[in-house]
């Protein structure tokens, strides 16, 4: 038994910092805050160009020989500079899913394009009337004879690379609406969950499609959020895609979703989940002074909360380690991933609330306030407090995760009425 | 004991409830962001005489008390009205005791706006003053001197913040006015901060009540997994816990207001208690109601996020909640306080005689519609 | 609006203390701990003899002119001396219920005997297979022709006072078992919830009976508990009672229960619910010293928890005030009583856990440890920690109370499957 | 990284699991109350050599480490075995470093029982020593001296306590033995207390796991309102939260034990973390499982109360949990610690090369029966 991290990044930190110095423009972080879009196309192109996106992937699908730990160190460094890559996260989840469930032909068609940075994929699961109950999707896909004009599956970017048999099984026409299609404003594709059979129980009539955003009948509208991100509602009015855009079997979408959701819950993600709130708060509290001159950190009420955050962060870390270890053993850890996501998101919401309390009146200060009144960490705690709100909802609400644990780990009967 | 409002209080409540519902719907609240101040609404509030209702009649006010202000604060909280009524009313009462007619008259007339710094000034600045960005006058304590600052230029540079409060750092100019010095000045300032807290407690009760209703409305309309969200036991239990806490928070806020009006020895600790309990209740209620909305709760389009942000920010501007509990314990149990100094208990003059518990068969339980903000005793 | 307590006890405290000095033997508290029976017969006789039990009751049913506030001050004083009167609590609840739902004849038969201390009534609601789901009671009562030998309703103690028409409507034969019949070891009667109609929905076939414990076929077995109390299982094997032992209409037991449960949740109780944990902890913490000589109370982590307990205690107090006020107005506050009981019991469990933590290692010391190692307050905190465990179960489990609030205050649909 | 036990560890676990299940069923636990010590069971445990498994081989022990002791502690916790194995093993390791063969040999042979005082002695008494009522030897720190006390008369007067621990105040006689003095003595003592904490963390994981199972068994058998209690959503969600926390607590406890064995710089903070997290997890799990039992949970007849009391008492004897968090923060963030001193991270020598995340399709998820205590990595 040993708990050495497999992804020891220390050795790569300097190189990652150098890469970021050379490739990351300082204004990108502010630009992401301003636009609410947590993806920067120019950066993505550079990550692809230097083979960082392809690190750790099989060479036959475009994987590069860049060290995966270096790639992770780069994403850590980006996070440290306030530059997010949400679009890459969702793209990577879908690419992992494709690797697991798609045909060899599709893998060759899509994964290399993804790793070259030419495809950016948003998730189209939620709908206006179905969030947690994702299997209740009403968006439909109906099979029609191929009209021979169907765009190649890679859309404008991916080209027809290696794809063959176009239209062999007919096309699909998609109608409906998706909610919270984050990064759709930049995406080349949306991974759309659609109902292909309305006559069977809801989990049994679903199919997934990779829909090019260049398609006719597709539209995208912004949705503004509490954390500042701009997500989207996307609309599908008679959008036509060829059958090779279908990922997984017809009406087998639910088992594809199960794979995709394991990745969404943080398993196998190449972006960083390192938590540093306890350390950041401690740094602030050791520097900050009470009116009487003592360090805020010397107040046991402050230290106690920071200690508690540190414990929960370590529990999250060791739960993440377990995911990596199970991956090594070739498992797809659905229950363990649910546990980690549940524990992590429920605790960080408490942590950020505690963090603002520790800051006292300064805790209310938002980014932008720094110049006027010395907001701690430039208002980042306040921003993160707002952003944390959504974590217990996306990628499986806490209630759904508890249900998975209750039913599959503990063997409890279904609690919901059908 | 009588937990009913008086007829006058009831009339005030009904008037203000209609007023805030009509004049401060969510569209007005949103339009006033990020500053959190609607000048036109403030003029109307001032014309109603609200900032001066608790100023003594011989100073031109309406001579009412903290209970009446708490009624106004609760309704302000319900609608998140972007007007600094709590600050103005609190500062006004303090100035009525320490300033002359030249300062007070324009305040009572609603022509000028005064506010209170919640933290004593350090050197030459009063930091994070609520309504500091829009006030003509700021009252602040520096060491043992109660100072009055004129703000010729307003709004000053407002500081972006979580709660859409017109917050500012207010520099203390050389030509300040010293209202009072010494223990009396310090005591007056602390009384005002205490009153700000108990009124903010009432506002937080309003925030919590409305946040609960918004959550209820949502779960009673939306379906998931083929049933109303409202039928899930975990959601029901959390709503029930929040409704219980809100009843407690409301009773406590009005008890604190009453104790302030009749100058009970327990008034300081009750103000602290009501502020702490209402803070926790409002934040938990708003937070859980937001979560019940699923992804929609995170969007700016839905109103619940307006409540969520203010539930956290409005009390936080007074400082760390957790430190507040420790201070409360010392307030209660440091010598030489009597050990059970609670209102209506020993070392209080006994209240008027009240009938005992009835042994006659009572009527059926009275149902309260959930959307009707009741009197504090009625839950 | 004012928040003056109606039950200002201050004026009566000296008199109550003098009464207790004259009437309470110092060994009773220890005897209750030793036996686990929270009722002392000799004390009960004295309370009755001095008219304290009858304080506040209508004179026509044996009420006395003893001041109700004095009576409450006496019960407060008893609590302070560690002498409980649980048997009086349940008796008083049932007497209140009788006053509300029984016939004039029954009121005259039972209430005076109760106030004279001759009847002590235990609650027979729960069964081995039904606790929270009290309406699922399986104990049966079947009507049979009167055999003319039915004991008078008051049993051995209450005599046939004022009762007439004995056996006019036949007798009842009761079979079944009740759990948690606390104080049954001393009780003259058990207030038994029985099924009188098995052919209707469970809530509609119940009836309540006042069953003398002297009845043939009745038996009582002790149940030992975590808090040290000894409660009982009681058995009913063909127990025969006359029809006048029936309280409320046949098959109308559920509406009688609703009244009884409101009283059980603390409404109208004449015993004290004063909470003093914050004060008691503060007293301990101001006297206790850390190894470095500072008072434990000066540790912000200690003071913070005590402050939090004080807030919850005040919320409970003001919720109790509300119950008294609603009573003044002639209401039977089911929702408000549920809220108070829910809030009070859920918070005190946290409080006692916090209290032991504050005491540190000394927190584990149990009563009896005092001599050996200076247990704080003689181990009372530890004892109360254990005793608090049951509060969220008896008299309506928290889950049931939340359901009442959800359905009746908030108008939510029923969450349980029938 | 390898979260599996070694073959030897796995064999040890299986042996001990069978042993404790057979030798320490609830009847044995109850029979040993209130003292919390079963002399016959202790003899068997000693004969198995358990107290000496982590004592170096050149001192006659088995030369194993904290991970092996944690395995034993977890299983002891599961069965609430009334034997002071954690205390004896911890004191034995400390004595192996500071005492001679005359002291150590009878311990290794299982003829005598040593324990550790968790708090430094004040004047002439070591207070609330776990196993103090049944130990022949007590190790305690007084100022900077590590003392060994012989207890000729035992059991001393045991102190009744919540957790049925053989607790005693141990007087320090005049003829004490000074094992060591100065910084080395203090460091040795603190290392031992730290090891006691991480082993108690493992025991609490065992308590929590078994308390969860007892709760599961109950809710899967009993019905209310016409359905299995297990089908209520509020109960399911609390069980799921507890199962999650238990997985975390188990991982953390074994990480702390591993870090102790390989002397990671983070070992002290991990011991504190695992102790705190396991304490909270065990108490919440036992408390909620007890509540799921309804009135039966309060009766002595059901086993859950045995777990509830020990979940609270066993860690509490080391002091106030909340103060522990504050101490942890200082341990982590007071200079001169590196800011991210965590195991397996920078300033650690890198571990052996490990394969990266697989991109080949993995097999199906592995199901774990809920009643099987798995290895720490397996949840």
């Amino acid at each position: 038994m040993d708990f050495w991290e497999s992804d020891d990044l220390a050795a790569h930190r300097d190189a990652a910092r150098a890469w970021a110095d050379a490739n990351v423009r300082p204004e990108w972080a502010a630009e992401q805050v301003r636009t609410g879009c947590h993806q920067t196309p120019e950066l993505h192109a550079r990550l692809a160009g230097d083979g960082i996106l392809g690190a750790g992937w099989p060479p036959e699908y475009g994987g590069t020989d860049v060290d995966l730990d270096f790639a992770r160190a780069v994403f850590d460094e980006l996070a440290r500079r306030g530059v997010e890559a949400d679009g890459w996260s969702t793209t990577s989840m879908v690419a992992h899913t494709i690797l697991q469930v798609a045909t060899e032909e599709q893998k060759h068609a899509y994964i290399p394009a993804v790793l070259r940075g030419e495809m950016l994929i948003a998730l189209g699961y939620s709908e206006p009337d179905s969030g947690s109950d994702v299997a209740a999707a009403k968006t439909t896909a109906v099979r029609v004879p191929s009209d021979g004009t169907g765009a190649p599956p890679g859309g404008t970017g991916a080209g027809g690379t290696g794809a063959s048999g176009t239209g062999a099984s007919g096309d699909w026409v998609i109608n409906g609406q998706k909610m919270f299609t984050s990064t759709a404003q930049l995406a080349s594709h949306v991974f759309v969950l659609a109902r292909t059979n309305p006559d069977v129980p809801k989990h049994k009539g679903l199919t997934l499609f990779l829909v090019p955003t260049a398609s006719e009948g597709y539209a995208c509208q912004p949705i503004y959020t509490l954390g500042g991100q701009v997500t989207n509602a996307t609309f599908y009015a008679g959008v036509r895609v060829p059958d090779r855009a279908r990922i997984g079997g017809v009406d087998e979408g639910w088992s594809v979703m199960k794979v995709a959701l394991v990745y969404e819950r943080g398993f196998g993600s190449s972006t960083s989940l390192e938590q540093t709130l306890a350390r950041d708060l401690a740094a602030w509290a050791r520097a900050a002074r009470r009116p009487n001159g003592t360090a805020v950190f010397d107040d046991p009420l402050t230290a106690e909360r920071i200690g508690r955050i540190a414990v929960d962060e370590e529990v999250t870390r060791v739960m993440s380690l377990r995911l990596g270890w199970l991956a090594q053993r070739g498992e797809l850890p659905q229950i363990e991933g649910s546990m980690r996501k549940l524990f992590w998101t429920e605790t960080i919401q408490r942590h950020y609330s505690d963090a603002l309390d520790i800051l006292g009146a300064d805790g209310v200060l938002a980014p932008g306030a720094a110049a006027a009144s010395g907001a701690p960490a430039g208002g980042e705690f306040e921003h993160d407090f707002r952003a944390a709100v959504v974590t217990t909802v996306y990628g499986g609400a806490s209630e759904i995760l508890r249900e998975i644990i209750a039913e599959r780990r503990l063997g409890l009967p279904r609690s919901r009425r059908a | 004991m009588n937990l009913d409002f008086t007829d006058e209080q009831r009339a005030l409540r009904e008037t203000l409830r209609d007023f805030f519902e009509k004049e401060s719907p969510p569209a007005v609240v949103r339009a006033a962001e990020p500053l959190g101040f609607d000048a036109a609404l403030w003029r109307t509030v001032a014309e109603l005489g609200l900032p001066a209702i608790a100023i003594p009649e011989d100073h031109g006010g309406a001579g009412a008390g903290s209970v009446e202000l708490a009624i106004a604060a609760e309704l302000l909280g319900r609608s998140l009205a972007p007007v600094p009524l709590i600050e103005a009313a609190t500062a006004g009462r303090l100035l009525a005791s320490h300033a002359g007619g030249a300062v007070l008259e324009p305040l009572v007339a609603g022509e000028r706006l005064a506010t209170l710094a919640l933290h004593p000034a350090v050197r030459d600045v009063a930091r994070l003053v609520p309504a500091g960005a829009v006030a003509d006058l700021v009252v602040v304590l520096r060491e043992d001197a109660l100072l009055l600052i004129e703000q010729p230029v307003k709004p000053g540079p407002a500081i972006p913040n979580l709660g859409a409060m017109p917050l500012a750092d207010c520099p203390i100019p050389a030509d300040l006015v010293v209202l009072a010095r010494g223990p009396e000045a310090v005591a007056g300032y602390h009384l005002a901060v205490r009153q700000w807290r108990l009124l903010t407690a009432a506002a937080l009760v309003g925030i919590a009540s409305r946040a609960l209703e918004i959550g209820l409305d949502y779960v009673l309309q939306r379906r998931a997994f083929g049933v109303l969200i409202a039928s899930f036991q975990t959601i029901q239990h959390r709503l029930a816990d929040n409704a219980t806490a809100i009843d407690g928070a409301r009773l406590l806020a009005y008890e604190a207001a009453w104790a302030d009006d009749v100058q009970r020895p327990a008034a300081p600790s009750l103000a602290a208690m009501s502020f702490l309990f209402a803070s926790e209740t409002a934040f938990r209620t708003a937070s859980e109601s937001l979560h019940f909305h699923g992804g929609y709760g995170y969007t700016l389009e839905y109103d619940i996020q307006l409540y969520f942000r203010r539930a956290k920010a409005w009390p936080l501007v007074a400082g760390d909640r957790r430190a507040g509990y420790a201070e409360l314990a010392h307030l209660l149990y440091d010598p030489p306080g009597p050990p059970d100094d609670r209102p209506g208990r020993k070392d209080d003059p006994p209240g008027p005689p009240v009938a005992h518990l009835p042994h006659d068969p009572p009527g059926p339980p009275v149902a309260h519609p959930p959307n009707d903000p009741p009197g504090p005793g009625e839950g």
Side-chain angles (χ1 to χ4, degrees), chain A residues 23 140 208 228 289:
Chain A
N23 290 282
T140 58
L208 280 148
R289 290 284 175 276

Side-chain angles (χ1 to χ4, degrees), chain A residues 83-121:
Chain A
V83 181
E84 314 280 346
D86 287 4
W88 171 239
S89 294
T90 52
T91 302
S92 158
M93 288 172 209
V94 177
H96 277 292
T97 306
I98 288 172
L99 191 59
Q100 290 223 27
V101 307
T103 64
E104 199 58 32
E105 189 184 338
Q106 288 174 314
K107 291 182 199 177
H108 283 289
Y110 296 122
I111 298 174
V114 159
L115 302 182
R116 285 197 306 271
E118 294 163 2
M119 279 178 72
L120 199 71
I121 311 173

Side-chain angles (χ1 to χ4, degrees), chain A residues 326-370:
Chain A
L326 290 171
Q328 279 177 218
R329 311 204 321 178
E331 298 183 25
L332 192 65
Q334 191 190 25
I335 295 166
E336 293 81 358
S338 297
M339 284 182 160
R340 197 206 62 128
K341 201 237 165 201
L342 174 65
F343 186 84
W344 168 56
T345 59
E346 290 289 330
T347 55
I348 63 163
Q349 291 188 352
R350 287 202 299 275
H351 296 167
Y352 280 109
S353 180
D354 278 351
L356 296 202
D357 288 345
I358 288 173
L359 303 176
D362 284 347
V364 306
L365 302 179

Side-chain angles (χ1 to χ4, degrees), chain A residues 11-65:
Chain A
H12 299 285
R13 288 230 165 97
D14 286 345
R17 206 172 295 125
W19 188 92
D21 285 342
N23 290 282
V24 177
R25 291 210 200 132
E27 65 268 26
W28 284 343
E31 196 177 291
Q32 287 194 350
V33 170
R34 191 172 45 74
T35 61
C37 181
H38 292 181
Q39 178 71 20
T40 298
E42 188 178 342
L43 171 63
H44 197 64
R46 292 181 185 202
L47 288 164
D50 285 359
I52 294 170
L53 299 186
W57 289 79
E60 63 268 36
Y61 304 123
T64 62
D65 56 4

Side-chain angles (χ1 to χ4, degrees), chain B residues 42 115 117 144 186 190 249 263 314 351 365:
Chain B
W42 175 250
T115 190
D144 73 340
V186 173
H190 284 130
Q263 301 187 325
W314 286 10

Side-chain angles (χ1 to χ4, degrees), chain B residues 84-286:
Chain B
L85 174 59
I86 292 170
E87 288 74 18
T90 307
R93 290 174 96 174
L94 180 57
L95 288 168
S97 306
H98 292 93
V103 168
L104 208 58
E105 274 159 26
L107 298 180
V108 171
E111 295 157 9
R112 307 192 79 189
L113 200 171
T115 190
L116 176 76
L118 298 176
H119 307 279
V122 177
R123 286 185 295 271
D124 290 331
V125 65
R127 282 199 71 228
L128 303 180
V129 179
V134 296
D136 304 282
L137 298 171
V138 177
V139 187
V140 61
L141 188 74
R142 185 167 63 182
E143 291 167 1
D144 73 340
L146 192 64
L147 311 180
L148 182 65
I149 309 171
E150 289 258 357
Q151 297 205 122
V153 182
K154 60 149 194 166
I159 309 174
N161 65 82
L162 178 62
M165 296 172 284
L167 210 59
D169 286 354
C170 301
I172 300 178
D175 62 338
L176 54 86
V177 176
V178 177
L179 294 167
R181 261 189 208 286
E184 194 202 348
V186 173
Y189 172 77
H190 284 130
L191 171 64
V193 172
R194 205 169 90 198
Q195 287 171 339
W196 181 90
R197 284 184 190 232
L198 73 87
L199 295 178
T200 299
L204 290 163
V205 169
I207 285 180
S209 311
R210 183 70 196 128
L212 184 81
E213 291 168 18
I214 291 171
L216 274 172
D217 286 350
Y218 189 88
V219 301
L220 284 166
Q221 281 169 25
R222 299 276 304 189
R223 302 175 76 85
F225 302 100
V227 297
L228 274 183
I229 295 177
S231 65
F232 291 117
Q233 197 189 28
T234 53
I235 286 182
Q236 293 207 351
H237 283 201
R238 285 196 272 175
L239 286 166
D241 281 339
N242 291 335
T244 300
I246 291 169
D247 268 26
R250 180 182 285 116
L251 285 161
L252 195 50
Y254 282 99
E255 187 191 23
W258 164 79
D260 188 56
D261 283 341
V262 300
Q263 301 187 325
R264 300 306 323 131
S269 60
L270 285 172
M273 286 177 171
S274 66
F275 180 69
L276 292 164
F277 193 73
S279 301
E280 307 242 3
T281 300
F283 181 64
R284 197 182 58 239
T285 303

Side-chain angles (χ1 to χ4, degrees), chain B residues 258-342:
Chain B
W258 164 79
D260 188 56
D261 283 341
V262 300
Q263 301 187 325
R264 300 306 323 131
S269 60
L270 285 172
M273 286 177 171
S274 66
F275 180 69
L276 292 164
F277 193 73
S279 301
E280 307 242 3
T281 300
F283 181 64
R284 197 182 58 239
T285 303
S287 187
E288 295 189 350
S289 278
L290 186 149
H291 185 73
F292 299 154
H293 283 66
Y296 290 116
Y298 192 57
T299 68
L300 296 188
E301 190 186 337
Y302 280 71
D303 292 342
I304 189 65
Q305 52 90 13
L306 300 170
Y307 287 82
F308 171 79
R309 290 189 282 131
R310 287 161 179 82
K312 183 73 189 178
W314 286 10
L316 183 52
V317 79
D320 182 0
R321 182 170 55 84
R322 292 277 296 278
Y325 285 106
E327 285 159 23
L328 170 65
H330 286 286
L331 192 61
L332 285 169
Y333 302 117
D334 273 348
D340 58 353
D341 167 23
R342 295 199 243 175

